[in-house]
C-alpha cells in the first residue's frame, strides 16, 4: 500500500472514528473522550493499529467500565467482539508517575487484576514503545487478536492445511517463509509451495519478499480486514 495514501486514509478515517464516538456520548463519557484522548492514544492508532487493519471497527476509545470500588474507570481502548474483550492501554512517562505513591501503585495493579477477573485481556504499551518500536507493538496486537481470528478460521471453507498455515502466520505476527511452513507441517517443499500458492490465489496470503521466487508471505487483506 502506498505510504502517502496510507497516511491520507488514516487522517480521514481517524476523524470519522473520533467524531462518531464524540457525537454518541454525553456527560462524563464525553468529557473523558475530549480530555483523555491525547497524543499517545492517537499515536497508537496511527503507528500500531492502522497499519495492521486499515479500519477502527470494534474499537472504542476511552471506554467506560465499572470500577471494583463501585465507581467508573476508563480504558484507553476497548476492542469488543462476541466472546472477546481486549483492553489496550498506552502508558506515558512523566512527573506524575515518578510521584505516584505506593498505595496508588497498588491500586492501579488491583484495578488491572479486576479487569482480568471480569474477563478482559489487558495489553499495556508504553508511549516509548509505541513511538520507537511500533512494529513490535503491531506483532503483539496481531497475536492477541489472532487468538480469536484463529478460531474464526474454523468457520471457513479452507482446507485443514490452509488453516494451519494461516494460524502460523497469525501467531508469529510477521512474514513467514516456506521453510518455516515445511518444518511446522512436516511436509515436502513441493506440497508447501502448492498450499502457499492456493492461499495467495484466495488472497489470504500476499508475497512479502521476492518476485520470481517468493521468500516470505504475509497475511492478506481477506484475513486482516474482517477483524
Amino acid at each position: 500500500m502506498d505510504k502517502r495514501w496510507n497516511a491520507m486514509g488514516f487522517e480521514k478515517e481517524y476523524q470519522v472514528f473520533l467524531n462518531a464516538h464524540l457525537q454518541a456520548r454525553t456527560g462524563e463519557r464525553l468529557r473523558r473522550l475530549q480530555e483523555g484522548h491525547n497524543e499517545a492514544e492517537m499515536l497508537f492508532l496511527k503507528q500500531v493499529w492502522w497499519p495492521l487493519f486499515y479500519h477502527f471497527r470494534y474499537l472504542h476509545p476511552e471506554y467506560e467500565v465499572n470500577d471494583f470500588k463501585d465507581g467508573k474507570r476508563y480504558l484507553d481502548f476497548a476492542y469488543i467482539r462476541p466472546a472477546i474483550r481486549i483492553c489496550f492501554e498506552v502508558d506515558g512517562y512523566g512527573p506524575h508517575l515518578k510521584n505516584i505513591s505506593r498505595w496508588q501503585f497498588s491500586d492501579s495493579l488491583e484495578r488491572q487484576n479486576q479487569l482480568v477477573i471480569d474477563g478482559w485481556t489487558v495489553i499495556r504499551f508504553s508511549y516509548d514503545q509505541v513511538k520507537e518500536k511500533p512494529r513490535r507493538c503491531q506483532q503483539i496486537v496481531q497475536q492477541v487478536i489472532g487468538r480469536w481470528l484463529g478460531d474464526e478460521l474454523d468457520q471457513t471453507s479452507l482446507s485443514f492445511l490452509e488453516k494451519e498455515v494461516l494460524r502460523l502466520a497469525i501467531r508469529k505476527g510477521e512474514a513467514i517463509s516456506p521453510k518455516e511452513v515445511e518444518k511446522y507441517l512436516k511436509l515436502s517443499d513441493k506440497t508447501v509451495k502448492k498450499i502457499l500458492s492456493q492461499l495467495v490465489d484466495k488472497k489470504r496470503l500476499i508475497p512479502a519478499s521476492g518476485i520470481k521466487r517468493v521468500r516470505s508471505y504475509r497475511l492478506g487483506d481477506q484475513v486482516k480486514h474482517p477483524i
Side-chain angles (χ1 to χ4, degrees):
M1 177 174 290
D2 180 79
K3 290 185 178 180
R4 186 172 60 179
W5 184 95
N6 187 10
M8 291 174 60
F10 168 78
E11 295 298 337
K12 179 181 178 181
E13 292 300 320
Y14 172 70
Q15 287 303 321
V16 171
F17 166 73
L18 196 58
N19 288 338
H21 283 279
L22 287 170
Q23 292 172 10
R25 299 188 184 189
T26 58
E28 180 63 12
R29 293 175 66 247
L30 175 60
R31 188 189 71 80
R32 287 299 300 239
L33 181 55
Q34 291 172 328
E35 299 181 3
H37 188 83
N38 297 312
E39 179 185 358
E41 289 78 13
M42 190 275 285
L43 195 66
F44 169 79
L45 293 179
K46 185 175 184 178
Q47 295 207 160
V48 178
W49 193 271
W50 180 256
L52 281 175
F53 307 123
Y54 306 122
H55 66 71
F56 303 116
R57 291 194 295 274
Y58 315 114
L59 196 65
H60 305 266
E62 291 297 317
Y63 186 77
E64 182 182 88
V65 296
N66 291 324
D67 188 76
F68 73 102
K69 292 183 177 179
D70 297 325
K72 301 290 183 183
R73 68 168 300 190
Y74 293 83
L75 314 180
D76 286 346
F77 295 101
Y79 177 80
I80 301 175
R81 297 291 302 271
I84 182 171
R85 294 192 298 175
I86 304 174
C87 163
F88 293 104
E89 294 280 298
V90 184
D91 300 319
Y93 180 77
H96 67 287
L97 288 183
K98 293 180 181 179
N99 298 329
I100 190 172
S101 72
R102 294 171 65 180
W103 290 115
Q104 287 172 314
F105 179 68
S106 297
D107 183 69
S108 175
L109 294 180
E110 189 169 2
R111 289 169 185 267
Q112 179 171 318
N113 291 341
Q114 191 60 50
L115 280 173
V116 174
I117 292 171
D118 289 341
W120 288 85
T121 297
V122 180
I123 302 296
R124 302 183 73 167
F125 298 110
S126 71
Y127 175 80
D128 289 339
Q129 283 178 302
V130 171
K131 184 178 181 181
E132 304 295 337
K133 298 181 179 180
R135 182 55 190 148
R136 179 56 187 148
C137 297
Q138 289 173 17
Q139 291 171 359
I140 292 172
V141 170
Q142 190 169 7
Q143 287 166 353
V144 69
I145 293 182
R147 290 168 53 191
W148 172 85
L149 182 58
D151 293 337
E152 282 289 295
L153 289 174
D154 290 331
Q155 309 303 318
T156 70
S157 59
L158 298 174
S159 72
F160 171 77
L161 292 177
E162 289 172 335
K163 292 175 185 177
E164 288 303 304
V165 171
L166 292 181
R167 286 194 173 96
L168 174 63
I170 290 166
R171 283 196 296 269
K172 188 177 181 186
E174 57 186 6
I176 57 173
S177 69
K179 286 293 184 183
E180 287 178 286
V181 178
E182 289 176 32
K183 183 177 180 181
Y184 177 66
L185 296 180
K186 295 180 174 56
L187 295 173
S188 68
D189 62 339
K190 183 177 180 180
T191 301
V192 166
K193 287 178 181 178
K194 181 180 179 181
I195 297 169
L196 292 171
S197 178
Q198 290 170 344
L199 288 169
V200 170
D201 290 342
K202 295 176 181 178
K203 303 187 185 305
R204 301 301 180 108
L205 289 180
I206 297 174
S209 64
I211 300 176
K212 291 185 178 180
R213 183 177 179 182
V214 181
R215 295 187 296 275
S216 62
Y217 298 80
R218 62 181 176 83
L219 293 173
D221 291 344
Q222 289 291 332
V223 176
K224 293 198 296 185
H225 283 200
I227 296 177

